[in-house]
Amino acid sequence: MTTIRLYWNNICVLHRQELQFLNAIREELRKDNIDLDITCFGLGYGRHMSDYLREEDSVLPDLVVSTDLEVFEDERIWNRFREHGLLPLKEFFPVKDIPELGGLKKASALLPYLAIPLVFYSDVELLRQTSMDASSINANFFTGTDADSEQSISLNRLVESSFPLSYGGINNSAVKTVAKLTWESFGMETAKHFLTASNVFDMPIQAFHQVSIGASPLALVPSVYALRADGKKNKAYWPLEGAPAIPSYICAGTSVPKDALFAVIEKLRGPRFSHFYTTNGCLYSCAPADPLPDLSFLEGSRTNRGLLVPSESFLNSLPAETFYKMYHRVFPAGS
């Protein structure tokens, strides 16, 4: 029996259903003489994977599936994996060849698994009032309001105007990704100012609730929450420049037989997972044969479905200590 240690920190809001799938896969793999030892991190499990892996005595896994991007973007963690050896998974597993996923294709050891779009969710009337209030915003953030184009909202204009946008995920990848994208486009000081001016919450669902109860006109939320837009009181918009995306990556070490690892990865990329994610979470699945999410409920998605992630060159040039020095000034308790 080959034992494979899997660390899992994926779609937190869907973690209960994920665990059901994982347990079913574990039973199937036993028939192939593979013992899948699963440790889950994230919401519902007490700690994030990156927090654990920063500890000096933490044990490295054989296989990782994670939306906790600091596992891959914090060089203090990523270098530990590299030193122990990583398989170039992208040489063995194809990725869906569409423009939206182009930015996710980074190091050969990182196999894109899923992408969570962050989209706008609005209180229609409150947003209309806010957009008409010159003291609230210095530039019109609506675009495409003519009869021949879809209406969309510009994230860049919100950043430039220091609009009090609501979003959440201080201790997960959502807020960190927004911070890094803003830093790359506008510089560190603008990123810090935008984070300070925004209504930032511990969890993304809190930002969603702020709009739902009429306390905030506009939030940037994972697509799974935006699915609740009714198109009347609440509308959802695909950001004009593209939706900030939280990728999920698979990476694997060289500590166990390759054939056993590949058997697990094939199961994880199977249709039972991918159809669930695209249907219930409106997520992009990166395996070539998997369906695309239905984005028709989102204003602006007919003409633009781009996904935004920080570039590989920017991430490589941003030391973790530099990023966290700024981040902890804004969120002293942030991990």
Side-chain angles (χ1 to χ4, degrees):
M1 181 78 72
T2 300
T3 298
I4 294 179
R5 182 184 292 114
L6 168 64
Y7 285 1
W8 183 273
N9 194 150
N10 210 40
I11 314 302
C12 289
V13 70
L14 303 175
H15 71 98
R16 289 186 179 88
Q17 296 94 327
E18 286 182 328
L19 191 56
Q20 292 176 2
F21 288 135
L22 287 171
N23 285 332
I25 285 175
R26 179 165 54 187
E27 291 305 312
E28 293 173 8
L29 289 167
R30 287 185 185 279
K31 301 173 185 177
D32 298 325
N33 214 33
I34 297 172
D35 176 25
L36 188 62
D37 179 11
I38 304 166
T39 302
C40 294
F41 297 86
L43 180 65
Y45 300 104
R47 67 193 316 190
H48 295 284
M49 191 187 299
S50 58
D51 292 338
Y52 169 68
L53 290 173
R54 286 192 190 97
E55 297 176 3
E56 291 184 3
D57 59 350
S58 59
V59 178
L60 292 180
D62 305 306
L63 185 65
V64 169
V65 178
S66 182
T67 54
D68 183 351
L69 297 176
E70 295 307 293
V71 173
F72 316 115
E73 296 178 5
D74 185 332
E75 73 276 4
R76 297 168 297 185
I77 299 172
W78 185 236
N79 285 342
R80 291 187 64 203
F81 282 98
R82 294 172 62 187
E83 289 167 3
H84 282 78
L86 290 166
L87 291 173
L89 292 182
K90 286 200 304 186
E91 296 180 9
F92 301 101
F93 294 93
V95 176
K96 189 186 296 294
D97 188 18
I98 57 174
E100 293 94 315
L101 301 180
L104 275 64
K105 300 174 183 177
K106 296 181 177 176
S108 63
L110 293 179
L111 177 65
Y113 184 40
L114 299 170
I116 310 169
L118 301 181
V119 300
F120 291 120
Y121 181 73
S122 73
D123 178 312
V124 173
E125 180 57 28
L126 189 57
L127 184 62
R128 186 189 68 80
Q129 295 173 7
T130 304
S131 67
M132 296 173 62
D133 183 356
S135 66
S136 296
I137 192 162
N138 298 321
N140 181 11
F141 49 78
F142 280 110
T143 63
T145 54
D146 60 281
D148 296 325
S149 62
E150 290 187 294
Q151 191 175 72
S152 189
I153 296 176
S154 169
L155 179 58
N156 285 352
R157 292 184 186 179
L158 297 178
V159 172
E160 292 167 345
S161 302
S162 299
F163 181 82
L165 182 67
S166 294
Y167 48 99
I170 290 174
N171 291 316
N172 65 30
S173 294
V175 175
K176 293 185 181 79
T177 293
V178 171
K180 290 176 182 179
L181 281 169
T182 306
W183 190 329
E184 182 174 13
S185 296
F186 297 97
M188 183 192 70
E189 288 302 321
T190 298
K192 183 169 67 174
H193 187 67
F194 181 59
L195 291 173
T196 303
S198 300
N199 299 315
V200 186
F201 300 89
D202 287 338
M203 299 301 297
I205 196 170
Q206 293 173 283
F208 168 80
H209 281 153
Q210 288 293 300
V211 174
S212 298
I213 64 176
S216 177
L218 188 66
L220 189 69
V221 301
S223 52
V224 64
Y225 296 128
L227 281 168
R228 304 180 196 183
D230 59 15
K232 298 175 183 178
K233 180 182 184 301
N234 300 111
K235 282 188 177 183
Y237 300 85
W238 193 267
L240 178 68
E241 297 84 7
I246 311 302
S248 174
Y249 288 107
I250 303 174
C251 75
T254 56
S255 52
V256 293
K258 187 167 62 176
D259 290 348
L261 283 168
F262 286 6
V264 177
I265 294 171
E266 291 284 5
K267 292 282 189 183
L268 295 177
R269 283 165 44 107
R272 91 178 89 189
F273 261 113
S274 60
H275 289 195
F276 169 75
Y277 285 132
T278 55
T279 302
N280 294 279
C282 196
L283 311 180
Y284 278 87
S285 180
C286 299
D290 289 345
L292 290 170
D294 180 4
L295 304 178
S296 59
F297 72 98
L298 286 152
E299 297 277 341
S301 65
R302 180 167 55 86
T303 54
N304 172 28
R305 297 189 173 190
L307 297 174
L308 300 178
V309 294
S311 69
E312 189 171 18
S313 60
F314 173 75
L315 293 174
N316 289 339
S317 69
L318 179 64
E321 291 183 356
T322 301
F323 172 72
Y324 278 106
K325 184 177 180 180
M326 182 279 284
Y327 199 74
H328 289 153
R329 283 178 180 170
V330 182
F331 308 115
S335 65

